Structure formats: structure tokens, C-alpha cells
Amino acid sequence: MHFQWYPGHMTKAKRQMQEDMKLIDLVIELVDARIPYSSRNPDIDELGKHKARLILMNKADLADEGQTQAWMAHFQEKGYFAVRLDARSRAGMKAVTDVVMEACNEKMERDRKRGIKNRPVRAMVVGIPNVGKSTFINTYAGKACTKTGNKPGVTKGKQWIRLNKNVELLDTPGILWPKFEDQAVGQNLALIGSIKDEILNKDELSLQLIKRLAEAYPGMLERRYGVEEGQEAPELLMQVAKNRNCVKKGNEPDYSKAASLVIDEFRSGQLGKITLEFPA
Ligand code: G4P
């Protein structure tokens, strides 16, 4: 799912989110663990102030574990709860529930003091497109989710998924927009595949990726492609083309094919577990 955002989209999404915020106690924000900064929209801090905040570092299966831990510590220092996650697997969901309960303890305690009993904590999932919101809701809510599906006759309005006696989840996620004005952010979003490939210069993108990997993960390109990392990125890519048999008519090395190969292998995790940005 690739996105294109226009000012109209953003205004509408923001208004919707402001409305939904009134209904909830906890914001569950998904970020992409490979680019935890670039996959956030800072407006969420304003929109979600006064709410308990949980950041899920999703697609952690593709990210560098050490960096994921560093990012979690970074977010925790800033007052968020944080959990690493592969939203496709049910295995990590117990940890999410534990933290959801912890994050909401304060509110439940307040309710108890006021004599309000058994009011479940209400939560909402938010994040930029493609970060894994629907996958997370489906895996986390399991079968309960299908009950509230888009059936004709189901009353329009807010649908809540009851996760257990203590937690309810809004069934539609809130969509945030990325900070595309920032070029570095744009490059990171392009690398993880969140911007239409057709509008990208993949040759150039792969050269940027090669430079960044050689710096942050020395030895990785050498191990995968049998190339020398000391050379300039264009020469290195040419060597990838030769070693991986990317050729065009006349047996010429196919530079663009090699560029796509490197990007695809990064996105699918075949190159290794990689994080592209690091906590300040
Ligand atoms: P969204 O609602 O936030 O837009 O994202 P969505 O759940 O549609 O997920 C976007 C893509 O990311 C999907 O792949 C999904 O399978 C994948 N994904 C979600 N969570 C994880 C995760 O923790 N790890 C990994 N590796 N992938 C994850 P897709 O290619 O668009 O579809 P498909 O391959 O599932 O058919």
C-alpha cells in the first residue's frame, strides 16, 4: 500500500483523529522499527496529550535488535511505554496486553477511587500508512475482530472490539501522515517501500542505501554480494550486477536491475536485520 497525501487528506485525518481522541484513554502508536523517527508524525504528541501513550516498534523482525532496544529506551525516557513487535505473529501480543494494562493502571485507579467499576480502558491504534495497523488489529483482536466487520446493517458509528474484560479497541485505526517535507525522511520512507516505486529513482536510491549500509553495517554488502566495500557506490553496484548475473542484451551488466535487487533484498530482510536511523 503506497501513499500519496494532499492537504485535504491531512485536514480530514486530523479532524477525525481529534474527534476519536475524545473517546479514548490510550493511544497505541505503531512505528516502523527500521525508521522509528521517520515513520512518526510529531503532531500525534499534540493530538494525544493527556492520554496514556504506547509506542509499538513494529516490523521488529526486520530491524536491528540492538537498535530496537536503544529506541525503546529512548522512548521510555520520554515517558512513553514501548514494546517491540512483529504484528503478524500472535506471540508478542501478551506483552502488548501487559503494557496496555500497565499504561492504563493510573486511569483505572482513578476510576476506582471515584467508585466507577469495570469501565474498560479504551484504546485506539494510530500510525502512518503501511506501518502495520490493520495487521496488528487483526492479530491482536483475533476472532473478535471479524464480528464487527463491514457487514451491511451494522450500525454506522464507532465500533469497539472487546479484547478482554478490561480493554476495548476502536476498530478503525487513525491514519497519520509522514513528514515528507523532510528529504531524509522521504528517503527513508522510499527505502522501506512506502512511496510509490514508479515515482522514485531506484538507481539513485540504491546508491544511497549502499553508502549508508557500508557506513552503518560494514561487511554486510561484502558478505551478501561478494563485493569490496572500499570502492565508490556506483562501482560497487556494478560489481553486484556482475556477481549476481544482472545482465541485459549484449551481456552488459544491468545496473538498474542490480539497484532493484539491493533495494528488494533490504526490504525483505534478506540483506540482514537493519535499522536506518538511530536515537539521538
Ligand atoms: P497499515 O494498516 O498500517 O496500512 O498496514 P498493513 O497492516 O496493511 O501492513 C502493511 C504491510 O506490512 C503488509 O504487507 C503486512 O503484512 C506487513 N507487516 C505488518 N506488520 C509486520 C511485521 O511486524 N513484520 C513484517 N515483516 N511485516 C509486517 P503487504 O506486503 O502489504 O501484504 P502481505 O504481504 O501481508 O500480503
Side-chain angles (χ1 to χ4, degrees):
M1 202 223 286
H2 304 284
F3 52 81
Q4 290 245 319
W5 279 79
Y6 305 101
H9 279 160
M10 297 189 222
T11 315
K12 195 164 166 239
K14 194 164 182 170
R15 208 177 303 129
Q16 184 64 53
M17 189 116 26
Q18 273 161 340
E19 286 305 306
D20 290 344
M21 283 292 166
K22 294 178 192 157
L23 308 172
I24 57 150
D25 310 296
L26 168 72
V27 179
I28 301 178
E29 181 187 358
L30 268 78
V31 303
D32 190 305
R34 295 166 297 175
I35 52 167
Y37 172 77
S38 297
S39 57
R40 296 193 73 204
N41 178 320
D43 286 355
I44 189 61
D45 286 333
E46 179 59 27
L47 287 163
K49 67 179 176 197
H50 310 312
K51 304 288 171 187
R53 303 288 302 280
L54 166 59
I55 292 185
L56 298 181
M57 308 272 304
N58 195 37
K59 309 200 186 186
D61 54 300
L62 298 172
D64 178 340
E65 190 56 42
Q67 291 302 332
T68 301
Q69 295 300 330
W71 272 105
M72 279 168 52
H74 168 84
F75 287 132
Q76 283 157 355
E77 238 168 63
K78 291 187 178 295
Y80 303 92
F81 290 88
V83 174
R84 70 179 294 293
L85 191 72
D86 172 353
R88 298 163 312 166
S89 131
R90 283 199 66 79
M93 298 301 163
K94 164 92 171 58
V96 177
T97 302
D98 289 350
V99 177
V100 166
M101 296 319 295
E102 197 186 335
C104 293
N105 253 341
E106 208 179 291
K107 182 210 153 296
M108 291 195 300
E109 195 48 45
R110 227 175 23 234
D111 279 358
R112 254 197 300 276
K113 281 190 184 140
R114 289 203 212 129
I116 304 169
K117 277 192 203 139
N118 302 330
R119 183 167 93 60
V121 166
R122 289 190 146 179
M124 169 180 166
V125 174
V126 306
I128 66 167
N130 218 33
V131 81
K133 298 178 295 300
S134 322
T135 308
F136 169 69
I137 292 176
N138 277 312
T139 310
Y140 192 45
K143 287 197 191 102
C145 200
T146 49
K147 254 196 285 180
T148 56
N150 259 341
K151 290 182 217 123
V154 172
T155 5
K156 266 208 164 179
K158 298 294 160 200
Q159 298 280 323
W160 297 90
I161 304 163
R162 187 147 209 165
L163 296 170
N164 58 44
K165 68 180 185 359
N166 294 318
V167 186
E168 284 184 358
L169 192 66
L170 194 60
D171 79 338
T172 41
I175 303 176
L176 294 164
W177 53 99
K179 296 159 286 206
F180 7 58
E181 326 74 63
D182 180 334
Q183 277 200 4
V185 168
Q187 185 181 93
N188 286 334
L189 292 166
L191 283 169
I192 65 161
S194 281
I195 292 174
K196 276 199 179 97
D197 275 344
E198 301 86 83
I199 62 170
L200 295 175
N201 179 340
K202 278 183 111 177
D203 290 3
E204 182 53 36
L205 191 63
S206 86
L207 293 179
Q208 297 303 331
L209 178 62
I210 284 169
K211 279 188 214 154
R212 292 173 66 177
L213 290 179
E215 201 181 308
Y217 294 94
M220 188 177 264
L221 292 163
E222 194 171 328
R223 281 192 299 278
R224 180 84 189 159
Y225 301 115
V227 293
E228 292 149 40
E229 285 184 2
Q231 55 193 329
E232 294 296 317
E235 282 76 41
L236 192 152
L237 187 57
M238 194 57 99
Q239 215 186 338
V240 172
K242 286 181 191 144
N243 294 358
R244 280 306 189 87
N245 224 7
C246 301
V247 285
K248 47 190 175 189
K249 264 190 212 146
N251 228 15
E252 284 291 301
D254 190 336
Y255 193 79
S256 294
K257 196 169 170 191
S260 289
L261 178 91
V262 173
I263 292 173
D264 291 347
E265 294 199 346
F266 160 70
R267 288 179 184 166
S268 65
Q270 285 164 285
L271 252 178
K273 292 183 187 293
I274 297 163
T275 299
L276 289 175
E277 55 193 5
F278 313 106

